[in-house]
Each structure stands twice: as C-alpha cells, then as structure tokens.
C-alpha cells in the first residue's frame, strides 16, 4: 500500500491561495489520488480526486506531475471556514471496492 | 439525498462492558466501511464490506471487535469487552460499487471508555 507524507500543519490568511503538497513515492499504476477535508466532530468529506495532470472542481484544484510521486491540493482564496484537517490518500484498487488509507493529515489554520 | 446515518452520536461505558454502533449507508451503496479515529490521528480502517461480504478486516481486533452487515444494507459494529484504548470516534462510510470512488462518511459515534 502506498504511504503518503504531508506537512503536519499550515497557517494562512483569508483571501490567500493555499497549496498543500503530498508525497507518495510508492504509488502504483492503478492508484488514484484523493483528498478529504475534515472539520471537528464531523466525518471526512471528499474534496477532489485525480489520476494525472490537473483536475479542477468548484472547490479546489489538484496538480499531479508526470511521475505521480507527489500531488498538490490548491485551495483558492481561503476563508476562515476552510480551517480543517486535509488528508491525502492514495487509492489501492482491491477487488470489490476502494480501500482508503488515511495518514495524519495537514491541519490548516486560516486567520483573519 | 440522505447521507450516512450513524447512532448513537455519543456513548460512555465502563471498561469490560460491551457496546454496539449502528450504521445505515446511502441507499444503493454496496461498499461499507468502519473506521476508528483516535483523537489527533487520521481514521484507521477496521473493516470493509462489499454487499454483505467482508473484503478486508485485517486491522480489526477480532478478539474483541465484530461487525456484520446483514442483507447488505445496515451494519453494526460491536466491541466486547471494551478497553480504555478503544476510546475514539467510530466512523461509518459508504461508496458505490466500483473501485476508486469517493467515500461518504457519517458523523461518527464518539465512544468514551472509563
């Protein structure tokens, strides 16, 4: 199973762009990269998923270089409500389903 | 669309007692997961079901934890007997039947063992 490495914490200010990088050197050919967000007292919430190059949705962008050994979650113009823990996961394709392995995550603190 | 429902939201028990958690996944989702999240850590997968069959329970402490998913819908997770180190949030998640799809999480059950 591919392991991921993320910064433990990051600080930012409202209105700034935040980039959180995740390393996954042992990513396998069939693995996807997925990011989740978790607020206190809530379950994780899916943000974005990608396989290669760039993926963008209404919430974030995900940049994946050609070697796929790392990925960067980009949050444009963060607000106070983006303060949360962000998890990078590398999906291991098991028969019958998607096995999600969470690391410790990155605690993002957005200041006014 | 209704989300993943879990109950109870909170539970306090004494060590050596037993406890059960219930999960109702999103309708039509064949894959169901139970996670344990200790304070300050990421969720740890305990068991994964595909319909009513177990796909992965390699990290489930089977001497005290058990889980079932009868009829491939609702699921229960039981701990018997509980230990102090079982204090955690127990999260249930579900996803559609395919690989590499997003998982939808419930709010979790916060268990405190005293």
């Amino acid at each position: 199973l591919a392991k991921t490495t993320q910064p433990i914490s990051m600080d930012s200010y409202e209105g700034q762009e935040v980039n959180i990088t995740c390393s996954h050197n042992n990513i396998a050919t069939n693995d996807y990269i997925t990011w989740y967000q978790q607020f206190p007292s809530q379950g994780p919430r899916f943000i974005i998923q990608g396989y290669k190059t760039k993926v963008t949705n209404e919430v974030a962008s995900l940049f994946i270089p050609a070697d796929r050994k790392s990925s960067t979650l980009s949050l444009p113009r963060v607000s106070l409500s983006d303060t949360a823990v962000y998890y990078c996961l590398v999906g291991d394709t098991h028969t019958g389903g998607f096995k999600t392995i969470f690391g410790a995550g990155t605690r993002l603190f957005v200041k006014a | 669309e209704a989300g993943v429902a879990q109950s109870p939201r909170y539970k306090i028990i004494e060590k050596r007692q037993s406890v059960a958690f219930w999960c109702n996944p999103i309708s039509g989702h064949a894959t169901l997961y139970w996670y344990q999240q200790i304070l300050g850590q990421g969720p740890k997968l305990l068991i994964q079901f595909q319909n009513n069959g177990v796909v992965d329970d390699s990290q489930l402490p089977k001497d005290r934890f058990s889980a079932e998913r009868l009829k491939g819908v609702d699921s229960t997770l039981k701990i018997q007997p509980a230990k102090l180190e079982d204090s955690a949030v127990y999260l249930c998640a579900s996803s559609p039947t395919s690989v590499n799809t997003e998982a939808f999480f419930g709010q979790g059950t916060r268990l405190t063992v005293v």
Side-chain angles (χ1 to χ4, degrees):
Chain A
L1 298 173
K3 289 187 178 179
T4 60
T5 303
Q6 305 174 232
I8 294 173
S9 64
M10 295 181 69
D11 288 344
S12 182
Y13 288 93
E14 281 191 293
Q16 288 189 331
E17 179 185 74
V18 171
N19 296 309
I20 305 174
T21 298
C22 178
S23 297
H24 28 81
N25 292 318
N26 298 320
I27 190 169
T29 303
N30 293 334
D31 287 347
Y32 279 66
I33 300 152
T34 311
W35 286 79
Y36 282 81
Q37 174 192 56
Q38 187 175 28
F39 298 114
S41 300
Q42 293 187 26
R45 183 177 71 105
F46 174 90
I47 300 175
I48 198 166
Q49 184 181 76
Y51 183 80
K52 61 180 179 181
T53 62
K54 177 184 175 183
V55 179
T56 298
N57 62 22
E58 65 278 6
V59 176
S61 294
L62 178 59
F63 298 91
I64 306 168
D67 66 5
R68 305 203 324 125
K69 293 183 182 300
S70 67
S71 59
T72 299
L73 174 72
S74 181
L75 304 172
R77 296 181 296 282
V78 295
S79 63
L80 297 177
S81 61
D82 292 317
T83 294
V85 179
Y86 293 81
Y87 295 98
C88 165
L89 291 80
V90 175
D92 193 358
T93 55
H94 270 235
T95 300
F98 175 50
K99 185 172 183 177
T100 52
I101 308 296
F102 287 81
T106 297
R107 296 183 178 276
L108 173 65
F109 186 68
V110 180
K111 307 173 197 175
Chain B
E1 176 182 86
V4 176
Q6 290 188 247
S7 68
R9 282 282 281 142
Y10 304 94
K11 189 75 176 178
I12 301 175
I13 62 172
E14 295 182 350
K15 59 183 179 182
R16 291 188 288 274
Q17 284 188 324
S18 62
V19 64
F21 312 124
W22 174 81
C23 173
N24 181 232
I26 293 174
S27 177
H29 281 192
T31 307
L32 185 147
Y33 314 83
W34 281 102
Y35 286 84
Q36 178 193 58
Q37 186 171 26
I38 293 172
L39 186 65
Q41 300 180 17
K44 180 182 109 175
L45 180 67
L46 293 175
I47 188 167
Q48 175 184 340
F49 292 94
Q50 181 72 13
N51 295 309
N52 60 348
V54 176
V55 173
D56 186 346
D57 62 357
S58 57
Q59 297 199 84
L60 187 73
K62 298 180 187 60
D63 58 334
R64 298 184 300 107
F65 286 65
S66 65
E68 60 181 10
R69 192 185 183 197
L70 300 176
K71 301 181 181 178
V73 182
D74 293 6
S75 177
T76 55
L77 176 70
K78 297 178 181 178
I79 307 175
Q80 182 180 14
K83 293 184 176 182
L84 296 177
E85 57 262 37
D86 297 332
S87 293
V89 175
Y90 291 85
L91 295 161
C92 178
S94 69
S95 63
T97 306
S98 65
V99 295
N100 285 319
T101 57
E102 67 178 280
F104 296 82
F105 284 80
Q107 286 193 292
T109 296
R110 181 176 297 279
L111 173 68
T112 301
V113 182
V114 298

